[in-house]
Amino acid sequence: MSAPSLPAYDPAAVEAKAQARWMEDRVFEADDQGDQPFYCLSMFAYPSGQMHMGHVRCYTLGDVIARYQRLKGRTVLQPVGWDAFGLPAENAAIKNGVPPAEWTYANIDAMRGQFKRLGLALDWSREFATCDPSYYRWEQWMFLKLVEKGLVERQTTVVNWDPVDQTVLANEQVENGRGWRSGALIERREMPQWTLKITRYADELVDALETMDGWPEQVRTMQRNWIGRSEGVDIDFVVEAPAGQPPVSTLTVYTTRPDTFFGCTYVAVAPDHPLAKAAAETDPELAAFRAECQKVRAAEADLATQEKLGRPTPFTAIHPLTGVALPIWVANFVLMEYGTGAVMAVPGHDERDFEFAQKYGLPIVQVVAPQDGSDELADLTQGAYTSKQGQLVNSPGFDGLAFAEAFDGIASALEAKGAGRRRVNYRLRDWGVSRQRYWGCPIPMILCGSCGPVPVPEADLPVVLPTEVVFEGVSSPLKTDALAAWRQVACPRCGAAAERETDTFDTFMESSWYYARFACADNDTAMLDERAKKWTPVDHYVGGIEHAVLHLLYSRFYHKLLRDEGLVDSDEPFKRLLLLGMVLKDGRKMSKSAGNIVSPNELIDRHGADALRTFMMFAAPPDQTVEWSDSGVDGATRFLRRLWAQVQSHIADGPAPALDPCALDDAGKALRRLAHETLAKADDDFGRRLAFNTVVSSVMSLSNELGRYDGAGETARALRQEVLTIAVQVLSPIAPHICHQLWLALGHARPVLEGPWLAVDEAALARDEVDLVVQVNGKLRGKLSVPSGADQDAAQALALAEENVQRHVEGKTLRKVIYVPGKLLNFVVGG
RNA sequence: GCCGGAGUGGUGGAAUUGGUAGACGCGCCGGACUCAAAAUCCGGUCCCCGCGAGGGGGUGUGGGUUCAAGUCCCACCUCCGGCACCA
């Protein structure tokens, strides 16, 4: 060791110093007046009290993007806040007797400290928690606006009831028939609920997906499926009841295949359908069947291959185009929630109808046949022919037509008869936002015995959630006697004694607009102001794939509501979306139950935040799952230490002179070329590809090559200065603390994070000679260096001079030569 | 079942537009330094044959297109995610 006195890398000291400087300079407080605004946002965290690796990954990714954009000259906003309402606080309150507010704020304090240790370029001046009345009052205010606009309804609906969490869940929160948080089997209950009319925006939500090219295709597909738009026809049947049965006048079915209408041989209704209920009144067997279906629905909704079962009814439906009387069945595979709860069954051309018809001996009629010359088969004794590529048969007036014309023709015929209407149908249903929970935003409504539900007057906002509460069991303290005083109010309309709504909002309400509030979090006279128009839409949004439909669909909807209220002026909230993969350990998700949690705090203690961040970025591309590796962090630490040592030994000799690139020898030129290639690649990887793993690996390569470079003298020192300057800047968004210090050590006056991003010297990229791969019949036979402008003849001559190439070519006929300048030469020989 | 995405050394991954497969890291092997160890540094590391030069094989499987395929096409297998009787 020639210089044992060089300062050693001490991450704790380096990181404390850099963070203190940033805080002192207040560099991360975004300038609302700044040019070229760039809004970078990581999905805000639920304050569990413990930062975990998922947070580290998500926030580091966002931070890398934010810091890179800052280097590129953008005015960056990267705020932070807390998604602070929700069940865990209540569960903790029930378990430990700590009020949810107290528990939540203590957790936020703990997590704030943990987040700060990561060295994130966050604007803490805009921080807020959604459980603060100064935040949720605007959510209540917006809700009242939506009430005025008729976008809110109170509906008694069948809801998903979670018996463990004692609350209603949205469809999106039910996974395989179980609650997304509790895992309990979901029951179906009828309950009055406040709903937001998201279905009015269904078309816009689904259509916009087509142009949202900053979003992963996977997420767009998931949302498209979730909205589930289909184009079809409602068809009305006249229903005939036998004598003695109560009359039922008409039955409407929904179909997307009106082209197969002449193949309809029966009609099936859901067990919950009014017609099924009517028929069950005089048919005990049917009543038993309906009860059985309800039981199955509640308990085994996730059964994949449930047998198709049904019961006949005494009713018949008159086919509006043929006049034929068709039997009406009750079938367990028909869902009351979708379409009209009734289907026209075309067993010849629908697999479910086919299976059912075979089981119960119902007729199967073919009305679609493969096109002439098609190699499709349609054997209706084996199964339904469901292709839309066929042509109609046995359909008087429509025979020979293809799908589109047949759809149109039959739909028009039905419309002409007044027996049908074209209709666009959606799988998406309105968003039920009521939750029977305490720790949430109070719904600003008052229930009056004579007026019904009445909105809280705007002047009375916010309706503050009482925080001094005691839990008695699992139900909401808002419903207890202790809070009777909070609950009992005068009706704003008639003045009579009335009660507040005790349900609170779904927490997805808070997360649907927080990104906009960050633009103007200090405004206490309005929900949003002009700054929201400046900063939104979010330029880059980073978060977990688990929010692909839930949060990201609600936010898109809410943004349109804000737009229609004049509060923002864009159509979509998030321009570019990065959904990151999970962090695994031993192939499994880190969790307490699996006992495989790696604590970010301990890692920062041992290795520093920079090493943790570097490994996290290096281990895998952002959107893939990443396997945690302790030795991988060791590797990152080694790399940072090596870079540190390279800078220290370089600066030990004092300031470097200016570089004269012309004075470089070949090795020097090659090193300089690599440095500028690294710079150019990093720019592309950071900005376009979001491939931060390859940024790290290319800086590692550059550092390795610098280590191998043994040039001496002033020119070599000048080159090392340039190479290290590039390496440090390129790495700085990923390992910001060490790069902050090394950058200053290299003699730069202003901190590295101020930029500007270094310019690539095109001259440095130029090559005198390029490597050429020589193949014979596609097999690698040699490599050679040729002048970079070499034409095919010159390259060929050089290649044929190679012994090994010669060996494979001689005595054979040269049929063809493929030349890709700068890359490859391929001799195609024969004989 | 349907719709996405993915399958590359012992391992995490790289290969961006069809042009040297395995960059970079981890692990392992060997060496240097050391009384020794740790740390650090240097070298090696896809498989097979060969002392070597070199040759053969190789990106889940089987076909195909092409001078050339990890990359494109067809069929299939496995894994992950989503939806799931959606009429």
Side-chain angles (χ1 to χ4, degrees):
Chain A
M1 270 289 161
S2 60
S5 59
L6 289 179
Y9 173 44
D10 175 2
V14 168
E15 292 174 10
K17 198 170 159 189
Q19 288 176 17
R21 170 78 184 263
W22 297 333
M23 192 153 56
E24 198 179 304
D25 293 353
R26 299 170 65 164
V27 280
F28 303 134
E29 292 179 23
D31 178 4
D32 286 323
Q33 316 303 323
D35 293 338
Q36 293 186 272
F38 186 93
Y39 187 178
C40 181
L41 182 65
S42 295
M43 287 181 185
F44 67 173
Y46 180 79
S48 61
Q50 274 296 306
M51 178 170 72
H52 55 70
M53 283 301 172
H55 293 125
V56 172
R57 192 170 193 205
C58 182
Y59 280 83
T60 303
L61 284 166
D63 199 47
V64 169
I65 293 166
R67 286 176 179 272
Y68 166 74
Q69 292 296 342
R70 170 186 288 272
L71 283 174
K72 295 291 280 184
R74 308 290 294 268
T75 302
V76 173
L77 168 61
Q78 191 186 209
V80 60
W82 309 99
D83 189 13
F85 275 136
L87 278 179
E90 279 185 57
N91 293 340
I94 293 163
K95 204 171 147 201
N96 309 320
V98 188
E102 196 182 315
W103 183 86
T104 301
Y105 282 108
N107 282 349
I108 289 173
D109 287 342
M111 283 182 84
R112 188 187 297 115
Q114 294 167 6
F115 271 42
K116 285 193 170 175
R117 294 190 71 196
L118 275 176
L120 304 165
L122 293 169
D123 182 348
W124 288 97
S125 73
R126 296 169 192 249
E127 176 191 0
F128 60 73
T130 57
C131 60
D132 193 307
S134 66
Y135 178 79
Y136 67 68
R137 67 169 296 178
W138 299 112
E139 191 169 307
Q140 295 173 340
W141 175 85
M142 184 69 184
F143 184 76
L144 297 181
K145 295 287 162 203
L146 298 177
V147 171
E148 280 170 28
K149 287 184 172 176
L151 285 163
V152 173
E153 264 185 18
R154 187 165 170 85
Q155 301 173 323
T156 298
T157 49
V158 179
V159 297
N160 305 301
W161 177 255
D162 187 321
V164 170
D165 283 344
Q166 294 275 305
T167 191
V168 161
L169 298 177
N171 283 335
E172 293 89 325
Q173 293 164 339
V174 179
E175 295 161 356
N176 294 324
R178 289 172 183 274
W180 72 309
R181 217 180 260 279
S182 70
L185 281 172
I186 297 307
E187 295 169 11
R188 299 166 66 76
R189 283 200 186 177
E190 290 212 336
M191 225 171 239
Q193 273 244 96
W194 294 102
T195 60
L196 258 49
K197 302 212 65 72
I198 189 172
T199 49
R200 289 216 197 144
Y201 288 77
D203 277 322
E204 195 188 346
L205 287 166
V206 74
D207 288 340
L209 291 170
E210 300 307 319
T211 55
M212 289 163 58
D213 47 18
W215 282 40
E217 187 51 48
Q218 184 196 5
V219 178
R220 292 194 274 168
T221 303
M222 282 165 70
Q223 294 210 348
R224 213 174 281 127
N225 291 342
W226 191 266
I227 294 166
R229 178 167 66 189
S230 67
E231 286 168 23
V233 177
D234 276 338
I235 301 174
D236 303 324
F237 289 83
V238 172
V239 175
E240 291 188 344
Q245 286 284 338
V248 183
S249 57
T250 61
L251 173 67
T252 304
V253 304
Y254 175 74
T255 181
T256 56
R257 293 295 304 272
D259 58 308
T260 63
F261 191 33
F262 286 91
C264 177
T265 56
Y266 62 103
V267 171
V269 301
D272 294 336
H273 195 278
L275 198 143
K277 284 183 197 166
E281 279 171 27
T282 54
D283 181 348
E285 272 189 59
L286 181 56
F289 175 69
R290 289 187 62 235
E292 189 63 26
C293 289
Q294 235 141 14
K295 210 164 78 190
V296 168
R297 181 74 54 77
E300 296 173 81
D302 53 331
L303 262 189
T305 50
Q306 195 183 312
E307 195 186 0
K308 288 182 182 37
L309 297 170
R311 301 287 306 172
T313 70
F315 302 110
T316 54
I318 306 304
H319 191 295
L321 296 183
T322 63
V324 174
L326 306 169
I328 298 179
W329 284 65
V330 178
N332 66 346
F333 67 89
V334 182
L335 305 175
M336 194 58 215
E337 304 82 34
Y338 186 79
T340 60
V343 300
M344 64 173 217
V346 184
H349 306 286
D350 181 281
E351 280 168 25
R352 294 155 303 181
D353 299 345
F354 181 86
E355 193 185 326
F356 192 84
Q358 283 222 313
K359 187 176 176 83
Y360 293 105
L362 294 157
I364 298 169
V365 174
Q366 179 171 22
V367 292
V368 187
Q371 292 278 359
D372 301 332
S374 153
D375 55 2
E376 284 187 310
L377 290 173
D379 179 357
L380 295 193
T381 62
Q382 296 304 306
Y385 172 68
T386 58
S387 168
K388 287 184 185 173
Q389 307 305 316
Q391 58 183 348
L392 261 58
V393 294
N394 300 327
S395 302
F398 303 96
D399 284 349
L401 295 184
F403 171 77
E405 294 78 48
F407 182 114
D408 210 51
I410 291 176
S412 298
L414 286 164
E415 282 172 339
K417 282 202 145 193
R421 297 153 303 280
R422 274 166 240 248
R423 182 159 75 94
V424 176
N425 191 53
Y426 304 90
R427 183 183 173 280
L428 181 73
R429 284 186 281 156
D430 283 326
W431 177 13
V433 294
S434 297
R435 294 292 179 274
Q436 289 63 49
R437 303 298 312 194
Y438 155 73
W439 190 234
C441 171
I443 298 175
M445 298 296 282
I446 291 164
L447 307 173
C448 170
S450 42
C451 306
V454 181
V456 172
E458 200 178 313
D460 293 348
L461 293 183
V463 177
V464 176
L465 184 72
T467 50
E468 303 284 316
V469 293
V470 177
F471 274 81
E472 299 162 13
V474 290
S475 81
S476 170
L478 298 180
K479 297 177 167 60
T480 60
D481 291 345
L483 286 175
W486 175 83
R487 210 163 51 241
Q488 291 162 359
V489 287
C491 171
R493 193 165 293 163
C494 70
E499 290 225 334
R500 288 192 189 282
E501 170 66 83
T502 54
D503 286 354
T504 53
F505 282 132
D506 179 1
T507 56
F508 280 112
M509 284 285 272
E510 284 87 65
S511 57
S512 289
W513 68 285
Y514 77 107
Y515 61 90
R517 180 69 184 172
F518 279 132
C520 48
D522 57 359
N523 192 328
D524 57 7
T525 59
M527 182 184 197
L528 299 174
D529 58 35
E530 287 304 304
R531 290 173 290 174
K533 291 179 183 166
K534 173 185 179 126
W535 288 112
T536 66
V538 174
D539 292 280
H540 213 137
Y541 196 36
V542 182
I545 183 78
E546 66 272 22
H547 293 113
V549 275
L550 304 154
H551 162 60
L552 287 169
L553 187 62
Y554 293 143
S555 299
R556 293 184 56 216
F557 165 52
Y558 213 99
H559 194 77
K560 293 171 197 301
L561 297 176
L562 294 172
R563 175 200 60 194
D564 294 346
E565 193 60 39
L567 296 170
V568 296
D569 52 12
S570 46
D571 295 323
E572 288 288 332
F574 313 116
K575 255 194 244 174
R576 199 167 175 193
L577 177 67
L578 174 60
L579 291 187
L580 48 114
M582 288 185 302
V583 182
L584 304 181
K585 172 95 195 292
D586 312 320
R588 285 176 303 174
K589 209 170 168 173
M590 286 190 194
S591 69
K592 259 185 210 155
S593 56
N596 60 352
I597 291 183
V598 179
S599 153
N601 277 304
E602 286 170 26
L603 278 156
I604 295 172
D605 290 342
R606 197 158 51 239
H607 298 274
D610 282 335
L612 173 58
R613 292 170 56 124
T614 301
F615 170 71
M616 205 46 127
M617 295 300 98
F618 176 65
D623 55 350
Q624 281 181 35
T625 55
V626 56
E627 175 69 30
W628 181 258
S629 157
D630 286 327
S631 50
V633 188
D634 294 338
T637 304
R638 272 199 284 275
F639 162 61
L640 295 180
R641 222 180 269 150
R642 205 161 53 234
L643 186 66
W644 173 275
Q646 283 177 328
V647 172
Q648 297 302 339
S649 70
H650 166 68
I651 61 171
D653 298 330
L659 176 66
D660 171 14
C662 301
L664 291 169
D665 60 6
D666 284 352
K669 277 188 185 142
L671 177 59
R672 182 158 192 263
R673 187 189 316 120
L674 182 67
H676 283 267
E677 282 170 354
T678 303
L679 182 59
K681 179 179 164 52
D683 203 5
D684 190 41
D685 284 353
F686 275 133
R688 182 182 62 90
R689 295 212 308 151
L690 305 178
F692 309 141
N693 53 331
T694 54
V695 172
V696 177
S697 65
S698 61
V699 177
M700 284 173 170
S701 295
L702 182 60
S703 166
N704 290 345
E705 285 305 315
L706 178 64
R708 278 180 208 113
Y709 176 67
D710 56 5
E714 290 300 277
T715 303
R717 292 196 59 234
L719 174 61
R720 285 201 180 86
Q721 173 77 17
E722 183 178 274
V723 170
L724 286 168
T725 294
I726 288 173
V728 168
Q729 190 194 59
V730 166
L731 192 65
S732 68
I734 293 165
H737 310 89
I738 186 173
C739 291
H740 169 82
Q741 183 143 338
L742 293 179
W743 181 264
L744 296 176
L746 284 166
H748 301 286
R750 301 300 308 160
V752 62
L753 57 75
E754 289 183 13
W757 183 257
L758 299 164
V760 172
D761 182 357
E762 294 298 330
L765 299 179
R767 294 163 178 270
D768 301 336
E769 302 242 295
V770 289
D771 294 332
L772 200 64
V773 169
V774 185
Q775 297 180 338
V776 178
N777 284 347
K779 283 191 184 292
L780 181 69
R781 297 301 179 197
K783 297 176 189 182
L784 63 142
S785 197
V786 300
S788 55
D791 63 10
Q792 183 171 334
D793 290 342
Q796 205 168 319
L798 284 165
L800 288 170
E802 291 275 309
E803 193 192 335
N804 203 42
V805 176
Q806 189 55 240
R807 214 146 51 90
H808 287 90
V809 173
E810 72 182 353
K812 292 178 180 155
T813 320
L814 191 59
R815 296 197 192 280
K816 199 172 173 185
V817 181
I818 311 286
Y819 182 52
V820 183
K823 289 218 162 136
L824 163 146
L825 189 64
N826 187 11
F827 294 99
V828 184
V829 299

